Amino acid sequence: MGSGKSAVARRLATEGITFLDTDRLVEKTAGSTVREIFSDRGEETFRAFEEDALRSCLDHDGHAVIAAAGGVVTRDANRTALNSARGAGDAWVVWLDTAPDELARRVARGAHRPLLDTDPAGTLVRLAAERAPLYREVADVRVDTTGKSLDEVTAEVLSEYDTRFGRWGATNG
């Protein structure tokens, strides 16, 4: 939460490259906001919607940049799906990592983050510790966004991509 996934993904998506956001797909499918799903149906129901959204994104025809919600890695099935797509050459996973204290500042304005309703800073520290090994398991590259602007993070992601695959936008594999 707050690492810049959606903002960076939107910047990377260009003509011919679709932007997909798992939270938005969950909300569309459920007919409710993330906050409402957590409140009315519980986190497990949200995670089930999230798993379906990730699979839908990974099955998307054509090139896409996916902003996967931060908790997507908490389910074994999602990590398996991401690693399978990576292994098949169908996905390249970027972990946008941010120091918890900076995340707390960034998400202070967000009303749609139900996991942060009580003790946001403490929750972010705990989530970072719990999820870091899971992100490492699925990520092809880690980009530290701490203290960086959206332009700097986007440039770093593009540079990492270009180093591995060639110029972004040329073939977009």
Side-chain angles (χ1 to χ4, degrees):
M1 290 176 273
S3 66
K5 296 178 302 295
S6 295
V8 171
R10 271 190 211 94
R11 288 251 177 122
L12 294 171
T14 59
E15 190 172 325
I17 303 173
T18 303
F19 166 66
L20 301 170
D21 185 308
T22 60
D23 278 346
R24 299 301 75 80
L25 289 173
V26 165
E27 290 178 338
K28 182 178 179 184
T29 300
S32 304
T33 67
V34 169
R35 175 167 290 287
E36 290 167 343
I37 298 166
F38 265 78
S39 174
D40 299 343
R41 304 184 212 179
E43 183 174 358
E44 269 308 302
T45 298
F46 171 77
R47 297 292 174 207
F49 277 119
E50 184 179 63
E51 184 176 328
D52 291 343
L54 178 65
R55 287 188 186 283
S56 174
C57 288
L58 291 173
D59 289 343
H60 175 78
D61 287 333
H63 302 296
V65 178
I66 303 167
V72 78
V73 296
T74 62
R75 282 202 164 194
D76 291 338
N78 292 339
R79 293 192 312 279
T80 298
L82 287 166
N83 283 326
S84 293
R86 289 172 59 223
D90 294 331
W92 181 63
V93 179
V94 177
W95 169 18
L96 298 182
D97 191 16
T98 311
D101 60 329
E102 184 161 326
L103 287 176
R105 283 191 302 275
R106 290 182 186 180
V107 301
R109 301 176 305 262
H112 71 286
R113 304 175 195 281
L115 289 177
L116 301 181
D117 283 348
T118 57
D119 187 23
T123 299
L124 289 165
V125 168
R126 179 181 54 78
L127 290 175
E130 290 172 0
R131 293 177 179 177
L134 305 176
Y135 293 137
R136 273 189 213 93
E137 182 183 326
V138 300
D140 291 295
V141 65
R142 176 188 164 269
V143 174
D144 185 354
T145 72
T146 306
K148 296 178 184 170
S149 70
L150 178 57
D151 287 340
E152 290 170 320
V153 173
T154 303
E156 190 169 339
V157 170
L158 287 171
S159 176
E160 289 286 347
Y161 183 92
D162 291 350
T163 297
R164 287 171 168 75
F165 305 109
R167 192 175 65 78
W168 178 263
T171 58
N172 294 324

